[in-house]
Structures are given as C-alpha cells and as structure tokens.
Amino acid sequence: MDLSRAVVTGDAVRRARAIAEFEEWEFVVSHHAMRVAEIDRVDDIPLSKDLARREVTLDLARALRTTEHQVWGMVHEADTLQTRAPGVWESFRSGDIDADRTSAIASTAERLQTREAWAALEHSAPEYAATHTLAELRSWLRRLRARLEPEETQAEADRAVEQRRVSITHNDDGTSWFNALLPTGLAIAIGERLRKAARAIPTIDPVTGERDRRTRDQKQADLVADWLTSNTGTVGDLRAEIAISISATDLLGYTNGPGLTLDGEPVGAAWVRELATSEHAVLRRLVLDPLGHVLDTQVLKYRPPESLRQALHWRDGTCRVAGCRAPVHETDLDHAKAYDSGGSTSGTNLRCLCRKHHNMKSHGHLHDRHLVAPLQHVERYRTAP
C-alpha cells in the first residue's frame, strides 16, 4: 500500500471509529432522556424517582459493559456541549473528532462562564482538535481558558494551590512513589534544576575514578533523595530556571492574560510579574510576526551560538515532530538542509528535534510532512463561523 492510499485509508478508519463512538453516546443520551422522562411523569416521592434514575444509569452500564460513572459522564458532557457548544457536538457526529477529544472540550466548556467564551470554544476547538493529538488539545484548551477568562482561571488555580501536599505510596518491591502536588510554575522550575544538576554530575568520579553508569532518571531521583535527606545542598550554585513568555501588556498589568512556558502551559500573570521583580530575573525581548512566531536570526557558522539556540528554543517550544512533546531542552538543533550541502545555520534552516527523531531524520526516515509549525506565542480564537 502506497503512502497516499495509507493516509486516506487511515483517515477513513479514524472517522469510522469516531462515528461509532458518537452512536454509542447518542444511544446513551437518547435512552437516558426517554427513561428519565417516563420516571418524571410518575406520581411518586422524590427519593423513589432519584433511585429509579440511578437504575437507568446502571441498566445502560450493564448493557455497554462499562461503569455507571462513564455512562453518567456521557450524559452530562453531551448536555454541556448541546447547551454551550453545539457545533462541537456536530463535529463529533460527523466523525471529525473522537470521544476523547469531545470529552476534553466538554470539560473546558463546563468551566467557562460566559457566552462569549462558549462561542470562542465552539468555533475554534473542533478545528484544532481535528489536527492535533489529545495532549496538544488539552494544553491548547488550558491556554484558551486562561486567555478568555483569566480572573476565573486564576481563582481556580488559587483554590487548587490550597490543596498542595506530599504523599508517599509504597510498592511491593521495596520502592515507593514520592508525589508532590505543587503550582505548575514551581514544578517546572524544580524539573529544570534537577535536569541541570544531573548534567553537572561528572561522568568519572573524581575520588574513585570509576565511571558513573547511572541513567539521567536515576541521577535525578538520587538528587531529590539527597536534597531532602540532608542539609548540605548540592555542589556549586545551581539556581532553578524557568523560561516564560508573556505579552508586554500582561506583564505591565494593563491586561491579565497568562504567561506561557516553553512547552505551552499557561501560568498566572501575577506570578510572572512577581518573578520579573526578582534580582535574578533575566528579561529578553522577543520580536514576533503578526502570527506570533519568533522572527528569524541569521549566523554563518555550523554550530549555532547560544543566542540563536535560545531563540530557537523559544520559537519551537518542543520537538517539532507532530505529536511529540519532548521538552525543548532535550532536543538537538537539526539542519533541514544539511550544512555540507549548503544549508545555512539560521533560524529558517534549523529546527528542534528530539534525539530519536533527529536520528530518524539523519538516516532518511523523517519526512517534512511529519513536522508541525513552530509554537505560536499569540493565538487567536474565532467567536463566529
């Protein structure tokens, strides 16, 4: 089967699966509505009616070999979309988006408060959802909500931060999970410090002369254990670093939109302003085109200078392969046109690829059709068709 035929066939299979999922949801919604209407017409006490409605959910769950929770989720999310974003429901009906994407959009629709925000979601989300992975869609939905309703989003974040905590879960094999619920910005900063500290560990132990055979993950786990079980800290001055882009008007407080981390996660404007006042903060001006892309930088050397590397990290955010969300600090700068073949070391010819996809490209197994456009630091949402 040639590539074009595989693409067409694959899309047909995806659409058929999505339509089948819609038919399941539609059956659940219509049957539930019919049975509940019958129950409501009966002259009975409220408790009896409530228990009868629960029986309807249980009957559907047994018929579909699923849980009552999943059945109720279909009913509730369908009602949310039909009320607040009917265009999304129609995209599900036509097979443009599947059940998982529909559910993610419904969750955001439930959180949004205004009709203007519902309209922006309805007219922007189906197009994005149809062309991106579920993880990319969820990140986009968080950015959409933070931009459309910044005060409500920040209030929810403040309430969530009040629930911050640490938990330890023991496994059966002598290991345990150590989990911490923290503000997103702080978690990213911790991850950056761990990455930097792990890379700073010498490959050869200066005392024993033995080679350190630990993986990166093992080194980071050991560092966390060392930091939390001693008060000696780490060798050297390794500060936590986090890179955030934010509109100048948001930074100055004229507007209240979110900042964005390199991988596109929104963080509150108030927290970004607080970071900006730190004596350790480094402010960089990003010049964007009308679509929100970082403008190009040109140099005439094979190895990109640090300034160009940082600019490309800002531009791409993650590995440029569709669906790959490898953090930009774990990527290589790849020449689209090989340097030995006349390719320039410039923003137009360089892109961030994770090591796996960089190796695929170097051996001729990564076509440009698998790449997506750079990160947009400015996103626009349609409020009408």
Side-chain angles (χ1 to χ4, degrees):
M1 181 181 295
D2 60 30
L3 177 61
S4 59
R5 184 180 176 186
V7 170
V8 172
T9 302
D11 183 69
V13 170
R14 178 204 58 76
R15 185 175 295 275
R17 183 181 63 221
I19 291 174
E21 291 174 336
F22 174 82
E23 291 174 350
E24 179 184 38
W25 279 46
E26 189 174 46
F27 161 70
V28 167
V29 170
S30 59
H31 183 80
H32 185 273
M34 179 187 68
R35 290 281 305 277
V36 167
E38 294 171 354
I39 293 169
D40 288 344
R41 287 194 295 268
V42 176
D43 185 15
D44 205 345
I45 62 174
L47 176 60
S48 179
K49 288 186 176 183
D50 183 58
L51 295 175
R53 296 188 193 98
R54 296 184 185 186
E55 184 182 13
V56 173
T57 303
L58 178 59
D59 286 340
L60 285 167
R62 292 293 303 277
L64 295 174
R65 307 293 192 272
T66 188
T67 66
E68 296 168 81
H69 178 74
Q70 288 179 307
V71 168
W72 176 242
M74 294 180 196
V75 173
H76 179 70
E77 290 173 356
D79 179 68
T80 298
L81 290 176
Q82 290 170 347
T83 302
R84 299 187 174 190
V88 176
W89 183 251
E90 292 307 311
S91 294
F92 187 20
R93 181 193 300 275
S94 65
D96 291 337
I97 58 177
D98 61 13
D100 287 340
R101 289 168 174 78
T102 299
S103 183
I105 297 171
S107 178
T108 300
E110 185 175 9
R111 287 178 167 86
L112 293 173
Q113 303 298 313
T114 65
R115 293 186 179 277
E116 293 77 11
W118 299 346
L121 177 72
E122 178 181 13
H123 298 301
S124 299
E127 180 180 356
Y128 189 94
T131 55
H132 291 78
T133 67
L134 182 59
E136 291 170 335
L137 172 63
R138 285 172 173 158
S139 180
W140 180 87
L141 288 169
R142 289 191 288 270
R143 297 196 299 271
L144 170 73
R145 182 167 175 249
R147 176 59 64 181
L148 294 177
E149 296 181 351
E151 289 80 11
E152 293 83 352
T153 302
Q154 186 59 53
E156 181 179 286
D158 292 341
R159 291 192 296 271
V161 168
E162 291 298 316
Q163 303 302 316
R164 61 191 182 278
R165 60 188 179 275
V166 170
S167 64
I168 299 176
T169 305
H170 301 300
N171 300 325
D172 297 330
D173 56 5
T175 62
S176 299
W177 283 105
F178 178 87
N179 304 298
L181 180 65
L182 300 169
T184 296
L186 181 57
I188 292 174
I190 292 172
E192 285 294 297
R193 186 183 181 194
L194 272 172
R195 178 185 65 84
K196 187 173 182 180
R199 291 184 63 181
I201 296 175
T203 303
I204 305 298
D205 190 304
V207 177
T208 65
E210 295 181 355
R211 187 177 190 83
D212 191 337
R213 301 187 181 280
R214 291 177 297 175
T215 66
R216 180 187 59 185
D217 288 341
Q218 290 170 339
K219 291 177 181 178
Q220 292 183 356
D222 292 344
L223 282 167
V224 170
D226 290 343
W227 291 346
L228 294 179
T229 57
S230 70
N231 55 10
T232 57
T234 57
V235 177
D237 182 18
L238 294 171
R239 299 186 183 278
E241 295 182 359
I242 178 171
I244 300 171
S245 64
I246 188 169
S247 166
T249 57
D250 294 327
L251 182 62
L252 294 174
Y254 295 121
T255 51
N256 203 33
L260 295 181
T261 63
L262 282 179
D263 57 355
E265 288 300 318
V267 289
W271 186 70
V272 179
R273 294 183 197 119
E274 181 181 347
L275 285 183
T277 62
S278 168
E279 62 177 312
H280 303 297
V282 177
L283 302 181
R284 302 180 187 277
R285 184 169 67 105
L286 297 182
V287 181
L288 310 177
D289 67 13
L291 296 179
H293 298 133
V294 177
L295 294 178
D296 185 40
T297 303
Q298 175 78 36
V299 294
L300 299 176
K301 293 187 296 184
Y302 174 74
R303 182 169 298 278
E306 186 60 26
S307 59
L308 176 57
R309 184 180 301 276
Q310 291 178 2
L312 292 171
H313 283 184
W314 277 109
R315 186 194 69 183
D316 291 352
T318 62
C319 173
R320 286 276 297 280
V321 172
C324 181
R325 293 182 59 79
V328 73
H329 56 69
E330 296 180 3
T331 62
D332 302 326
L333 291 185
D334 168 67
H335 286 72
K337 181 178 181 181
Y339 181 77
D340 294 342
S341 300
S344 63
T345 301
S346 67
T348 55
N349 193 49
L350 290 172
R351 61 273 183 101
C352 296
L353 297 180
C354 69
R355 185 58 54 84
K356 178 182 73 172
H357 289 127
H358 193 186
N359 287 336
M360 288 174 61
K361 187 264 183 182
S362 298
H363 290 84
H365 296 292
L366 184 70
H367 193 275
D368 281 352
R369 67 175 179 275
H370 296 301
L371 303 181
V372 295
L375 174 71
Q376 286 183 270
H377 290 265
V378 176
E379 293 181 307
R380 293 171 174 81
Y381 312 104
R382 295 191 296 160
T383 57

